[in-house]
Amino acid sequence: MFRYIVRRLLQMVLTFFGATFLLYALVFANQKDPIQALVGERPVTESQRIALTQRYHLDEGFFMQYWYYMKGLLTGDFGTSLTGRKIVDMMADAWPVTLRLALIAIVIAATFSVTVGVYSALKRGGLFDNVSLVITLVLLAMPIVVIAPLFQLIFGIQLGWFPPTATRDATVWQLLLPAIVLACIVIAPEMRVTRTSVVENLRADYVRTARAKGLTRMRVIWVHVLRNSLIPVVTLIGVDLGGLMAGAIVTEHVFNIPGVGFNLARAIRTEDGPLVVGFVSILVILFLFINLLVDLLYAALDPRIRYE
Amino acid sequence: MSDLNTVTAAEAPGGQPNVPHGPVKKDKPRSLAGDAWADLRKRKIFWIAVVLVAVVLVMAAWPTLFTSADPGACALANQYKGATGGALFGFDYQGCDIYAKVIYGARNSITVGVLATLLAGVIGLIFGLSAGYFGGLVDAILSRFIDIMLGVPFLLAGIVLSNRLSSDPKSNGIFAVTLTLGLLSWTTGARVMRSAVISAKNQDYVAAARMLGSPPARLIFRHILPNSIASFIVLLTLLLGINIASEATLSFLGVGLKNGAISWGIMIADGTQFARTEPWPLVWPAIFLGATVLAFIMLGDAVRDAFDPKLR
Amino acid sequence: MDVLPGVDARAPLLEVNDLHVEFRTGYGVAKAVNGANFWLSPGETLAILGESGCGKSVTAQAIMGILDTPPGYVTQGQIRYRGVDLLKLPEDQRRKVRANKIAMIFQDALSALNPVYTVGFQLGELFRKHRGMSRADARKRAIDLLDQVKIPAAKVRVNDYPHQFSGGMRQRVMIAMALALDPEVLIADEPTTALDVTVQAQIMGLLADLQRQRNMGLILITHDMGVVADVADRISVMYAGKVVEEAPVYDIYARPAHPYTRALLESIPRLDMKGQQLSVIRGLPPALTDIPKGCAFNPRCAYARDACRQDPPPPAYQVSVQPHRTARCHFFREVLGE
């Protein structure tokens, strides 16, 4: 187990540097005028040019620039946005909002998909099952650019059940509708996996054994079917966290939530390179750690799996 | 991946009742594809998807069949005017005919979606086959590379790459978006192909063919590909739906199609801004985009279920 | 243990009478069991013998009440435990019969044990749920049980998961689980099929010992005539969901009374027949959706005549071949060679 974790961490380091390098190259390599790109639309004086060249090592090779950037990143220096703000400060504002949003979304998605998925599996072939299968199919296909504006229009503007946009402090109440939108993109796969897994386990030989042991139906389902069925669901929910982070870009844009996705979308439109690379690097690290945690969680939940 | 050491359960039938699981007919043996088709033909969802896909394709190929209006001819005088003769859905903020724009939007969606998916398919096929067939170092490098690609969320990478590729201020972004989606979406296909080849390679009949001196190319094309291509094509159908959705998303965020190119994503973005005053310019493109993506996903889903009897 | 209402200590331990089970699937109705009859006394071993698909496992599941419904339904007949018809009991009482009075061992212990719980948990669960014991007491009993089925270092192994045991050890766990609540009837469904031959003998020996100690009735479901000869007292041969012959084990081996039994015996390889061609039963067992008219065995039978194709043989228990023997064949005398 220890060796497995060490190996995974080494792989993560490789993936991290690979991904951030690709990203860094995409944003900064072969720019026509890198100095102009660093300050945005403002005019640049010659002395500023010299200062920026020195600060960003623009006179050195591209690899060196990446190297210096990573050194800064790993010591907590994310640089400065084109807006002049420290990127670290912007992250400190944005991350809590996005994490809160993602957390609410995960709780909604998990509660809904597990309840409905299990019930469908127990009543498979029935009306409820068929209706929920059709709904998952529609949900599965709806892109977030369709769901987010439509939900905002219907539930926020027309019906007025939820606030249609968030303010700077982004309260839980304001985040509820965007979280439902985010949840929609992961509900369908989670529900499908839950249903398939429960159906499979209901047919398993050990469930027959549990019935032969004279256990009540409730005990058979709760203890012998669900425990086994939820292993793949739990891991899927973990993986979905990464998907939610990406989905947050559109959702936060639509609902005007000052989180990571909102900042990123703006940074990309205003070509704010340092901001983009800084935010995405942190996202990549988060993504990798979640994947590792999910694999470890899998081993913890299923005694048959051992890593070596 | 290769890190998992799962103890697989023995596949003994256990206490299963000994009942024939299918109709006991004495007709000629049917192929997997034949079985799948027989199964598909009975599915309502499959036929709904086929009809929807056909309509969208016709719309993309011959938009004039549906509307005689020019989607570019907008007059501010028509702003938010209701439906009239030709303009079934009314007019938007800039006084453009929503119906005509929605119809013409299909062409760009389908073009970008199909080309990007083909590109992803070719890359995925080549990378997956090589990784699975050669194994060893090739596999290690390709697998690590895929890991790196998957390390960045798809949409994020798409935004950055598409933005970078369409740096020409006058381009309509179609080329950039197609290339972006093609270059980013091949990983799943490559993984599927890789594991299919690896599992096929370990089959006894492939080992037997190799012992009989079958050359590698023949092994791949005669024995390995036919057994894994079905799932790969199904994956591409699903990917087509996803790529159409991604194009709309990138366009929605302002880094996809631009400079007057018609895209459902841009229409949704514009519609969202003024949704308080007039919801329809948002609703119609959203419905068309949703239905198109749904059609391709349903199609892929139905075909996959038909080809995978275990999931029935 | 609460007593079932209507239990009659003098009635036969287990009696299956005219049992019918069918599976209703989208492709039609499969008649898996079509009038099975047999009985079992304490301390006795009854072997139910037959090819796969003859309905022996389904019969066992019907006795346990663990058929998957749908698609499986018991449509007719009685299953009497000490005179009480289990099929008429409300589900709550039926449930208490399982494991307490009638327990079952499955063929493949790896898939029959829950992979995510320790064997200690799965054994202890019986004591906790049926006897209301605490976790600690249940664990002690689980260790006792593992000792009884001769699993070395039971104290340690009680914390292991099923996949950490070898095939033979896993089947011992399965046996321990079935015997936990001292049932009077034990049904063993192909208990040794998945095991190596040497381990098979150990497991059968263990079963026989435990049965003797506890004076249990044992129903041994198998297709292996070798296993049957060693341990069974009586044999019921099943074909297409019916018991076609029933007799003490010695009689059946010496003089089979049904053409099917005879054919089965002739298809066993024997050392003294070395070099001669092995006889096989021609044809295949019938599809359960399409059982032949008359005697179900007639298309494969060397003795078949018109009568066999028209009328089913009279129900067993009416043809008394010899004392304690029954056979469902119009021409049993001919088969016996009388």
Side-chain angles (χ1 to χ4, degrees), chain A residues 87 90-91 94-95 260 263-264 275-283:
Chain A
I87 294 179
M90 301 178 75
M91 283 192 188
W95 270 107
V260 173
N263 278 292
L264 257 177
L275 191 57
V276 173
V277 177
F279 269 91
V280 177
S281 300
I282 296 297
L283 268 175

Side-chain angles (χ1 to χ4, degrees), chain C residues 34-37 242-245 258 295 313-316 319 326-330:
Chain C
N34 307 293
N37 296 289
K242 280 191 172 74
V243 175
V244 293
E245 177 166 11
H258 193 282
C295 172
V319 184
T326 56
R328 280 190 185 213
C329 178
H330 291 296

Side-chain angles (χ1 to χ4, degrees), chain A residues 11-219:
Chain A
Q11 279 179 12
M12 272 171 58
V13 170
L14 182 70
T15 313
F16 173 72
F17 282 110
T20 46
F21 181 75
L22 281 181
L23 188 77
Y24 193 83
L26 273 177
V27 175
F28 292 120
N30 290 326
Q31 282 172 325
K32 277 183 213 114
D33 184 356
I35 292 170
Q36 188 67 57
L38 278 172
V39 286
E41 307 288 314
R42 286 173 288 149
V44 222
T45 63
E46 200 49 39
S47 61
Q48 276 177 317
R49 275 188 180 271
I50 294 165
L52 282 168
T53 306
Q54 210 164 16
R55 173 151 164 59
Y56 287 97
H57 310 280
L58 295 177
D59 46 346
E60 295 179 57
F62 180 70
F63 280 95
M64 288 313 288
Q65 291 171 27
Y66 171 71
W67 171 245
Y68 285 121
Y69 181 78
M70 282 328 277
K71 237 167 74 177
L73 196 75
L74 295 176
T75 51
D77 173 17
F78 288 80
T80 316
S81 150
L82 293 194
T83 56
R85 280 190 74 193
K86 280 255 179 239
I87 294 179
V88 177
D89 297 341
M90 301 178 75
M91 283 192 188
D93 285 343
W95 270 107
V97 176
T98 300
L99 285 180
R100 204 179 321 154
L101 177 67
L103 214 62
I104 304 175
I106 282 194
V107 170
I108 294 174
T111 319
F112 187 82
S113 53
V114 167
T115 321
V116 176
V118 168
Y119 193 74
S120 292
L122 293 178
K123 305 270 171 199
R124 66 181 176 284
L127 180 70
F128 183 87
D129 185 26
N130 281 318
V131 170
S132 72
L133 274 182
V134 172
I135 292 175
T136 41
L137 191 64
V138 174
L139 273 185
L140 198 65
M142 280 309 128
I144 193 140
V145 280
V146 171
I147 299 184
L150 283 188
F151 272 36
Q152 185 190 40
L153 175 67
I154 296 170
F155 300 109
I157 296 172
Q158 300 283 336
L159 298 173
W161 292 352
F162 300 94
T165 50
T167 50
R168 262 189 68 81
D169 45 339
T171 59
V172 171
W173 173 235
Q174 287 168 346
L175 290 180
L176 205 52
L177 184 58
I180 293 174
V181 168
L182 264 186
C184 281
I185 48 175
V186 291
I187 277 180
E190 282 174 13
M191 210 158 102
R192 281 190 167 194
V193 168
T194 309
R195 182 184 174 279
T196 318
S197 170
V198 172
V199 166
E200 238 164 51
N201 279 298
L202 278 172
R203 288 199 206 117
D205 284 352
Y206 53 78
V207 171
R208 195 190 296 270
T209 310
R211 279 156 66 206
K213 281 159 85 176
L215 302 174
T216 58
R217 187 177 151 75
M218 289 306 276
R219 171 123 188 137

Side-chain angles (χ1 to χ4, degrees), chain B residues 7-24 26 312, chain C residues 23 27 30 32 52-54 57-58 61 106-108 110-111 163 189 287-289:
Chain B
V7 181
T8 45
E11 306 246 331
Q16 282 293 320
N18 298 309
V19 183
H21 284 295
V24 192
K26 293 171 190 77
R312 271 181 214 170
Chain C
F23 287 87
Y27 301 107
S52 51
C54 71
S57 291
V58 176
Q61 286 170 21
F106 296 91
Q107 173 178 351
D108 176 22
L110 182 60
S111 61
H163 70 272
D189 186 357
L288 296 175
T289 42

Side-chain angles (χ1 to χ4, degrees), chain B residues 28-167:
Chain B
K28 64 179 163 85
R30 286 181 305 183
S31 65
L32 177 62
D35 260 352
W37 171 237
D39 184 69
L40 267 183
R41 264 192 327 203
K42 283 180 295 195
R43 285 166 189 260
K44 258 180 266 160
I45 283 205
F46 171 70
W47 288 112
I48 296 173
V50 166
V51 170
L52 274 176
V53 166
V55 170
V56 175
L57 289 180
V58 172
M59 236 157 71
W62 300 287
T64 44
L65 285 182
F66 295 84
T67 175
S68 52
D70 174 5
C74 309
L76 268 176
N78 287 333
Q79 187 183 37
Y80 294 147
K81 228 163 80 177
T84 58
L88 293 175
F89 301 157
F91 294 86
D92 66 10
Y93 172 73
Q94 289 163 319
C96 304
D97 177 348
I98 299 175
Y99 176 70
K101 266 180 96 171
V102 162
I103 294 291
Y104 275 87
R107 175 170 281 181
N108 285 337
S109 275
I110 297 290
T111 314
V112 172
V114 169
L115 292 179
T117 306
L118 282 180
L119 180 61
V122 171
I123 302 176
L125 195 66
I126 293 173
F127 279 22
L129 277 182
S130 343
Y133 188 80
F134 297 112
L137 191 63
V138 179
D139 184 24
I141 291 173
L142 285 175
S143 294
R144 278 293 84 72
F145 185 62
I146 292 178
D147 279 355
I148 290 174
M149 300 257 320
L150 292 175
V152 188
F154 177 74
L155 188 58
L156 273 181
I159 293 173
V160 175
L161 184 57
S162 172
N163 193 40
R164 191 65 211 270
L165 287 174
S166 64
S167 47

